[in-house]
């Protein structure tokens, strides 16, 4: 499976999720393979002006799976929060093109929660998505402004063929 196909699914899931904190979702980058000068990715913009980029990365050396945290990381950790949210979207949608997905960490690399989201396609290919965040003009809210948000059932129906 190509990076662009994984990004198509990730972008569609973020759009279908209709999260009230999201103001825009865009695609960027020209590279269809990880490791180039302009890696392909999906950028999610938030009301605070900050953004999350989920982009195709070269597989980290000795990547080890890490469990999904019990709680969503705080807003100030947008990259970690974005990786967890993408994992949750995949858990709900269960896209038939993918056989699995997991958060992973690289030995010796200290990051909150995870370094990447490893997506395994049904054809056996693997794509790693890294999360990077950029802050906006102001600070992130201390408290989640949408604590009651739930991923809509339509996310599952749209990607399972129902």
């Amino acid at each position: 499976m190509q990076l662009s196909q994984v990004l198509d699914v990730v972008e569609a899931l973020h759009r279908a999720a209709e999260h009230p904190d999201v103001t825009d979702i865009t695609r960027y980058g020209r590279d269809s393979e990880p490791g180039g000068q302009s890696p392909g990715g999906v950028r999610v913009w938030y009301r605070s002006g900050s953004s999350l980029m989920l982009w195709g990365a070269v597989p980290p050396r000795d990547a080890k799976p890490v469990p999904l945290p019990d709680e969503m990381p705080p807003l100030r950790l947008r990259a970690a929060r974005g990786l967890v949210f993408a994992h949750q979207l995949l858990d709900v949608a269960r896209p038939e093109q993918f056989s699995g997905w997991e958060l992973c960490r690289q030995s010796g690399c200290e990051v909150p929660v995870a370094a990447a989201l490893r997506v395994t396609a049904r054809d056996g290919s693997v794509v790693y998505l890294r999360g990077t965040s950029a802050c906006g003009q102001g600070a992130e809210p201390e408290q989640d402004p949408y604590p009651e948000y739930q991923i809509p059932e339509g996310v599952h129906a749209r990607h399972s063929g129902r």
Side-chain angles (χ1 to χ4, degrees):
M1 178 170 265
Q2 299 292 319
L3 171 61
S4 62
Q5 294 169 298
V6 172
L7 293 174
D8 287 345
V9 172
V10 169
E11 179 184 12
L13 290 176
H14 276 80
R15 289 186 186 285
E18 299 177 344
H19 196 290
D21 195 26
V22 172
T23 60
D24 196 17
I25 301 167
T26 59
R27 285 287 281 275
Y28 67 91
R30 295 181 309 277
D31 296 339
S32 60
E33 296 294 322
Q37 295 295 314
S38 180
V42 173
R43 190 167 192 171
V44 180
W45 294 91
Y46 300 96
R47 294 193 186 285
S48 66
S50 66
S51 64
L52 161 74
M53 286 81 64
L54 294 171
W55 50 276
V58 173
R61 67 187 186 308
D62 65 352
K64 298 189 178 11
V66 294
L68 193 64
D70 293 333
E71 292 184 18
M72 184 63 85
L75 290 164
R76 62 183 169 73
L77 300 176
R78 276 285 183 202
R81 190 176 177 92
L83 289 169
V84 170
F85 187 65
H87 190 291
Q88 291 174 337
L89 287 172
L90 290 167
D91 282 346
V92 170
R94 301 238 171 254
E96 53 193 40
Q97 309 92 308
F98 302 159
S99 61
W101 46 89
E102 60 190 342
L103 297 173
C104 57
R105 175 173 284 164
Q106 184 176 335
S107 296
C109 181
E110 291 301 318
V111 294
V113 184
L117 178 63
R118 178 174 31 215
V119 177
T120 305
R122 292 255 177 242
D123 66 7
S125 59
V126 175
V127 171
Y128 284 84
L129 296 178
R130 291 276 185 150
T132 306
S133 61
C135 38
Q137 299 292 343
E140 292 287 359
E142 287 296 318
Q143 299 295 318
D144 186 343
Y146 306 98
E148 303 302 316
Y149 171 80
Q150 297 290 313
I151 296 171
E153 177 60 31
V155 169
H156 175 69
R158 191 170 293 176
H159 291 278
S160 65
R162 292 190 186 134

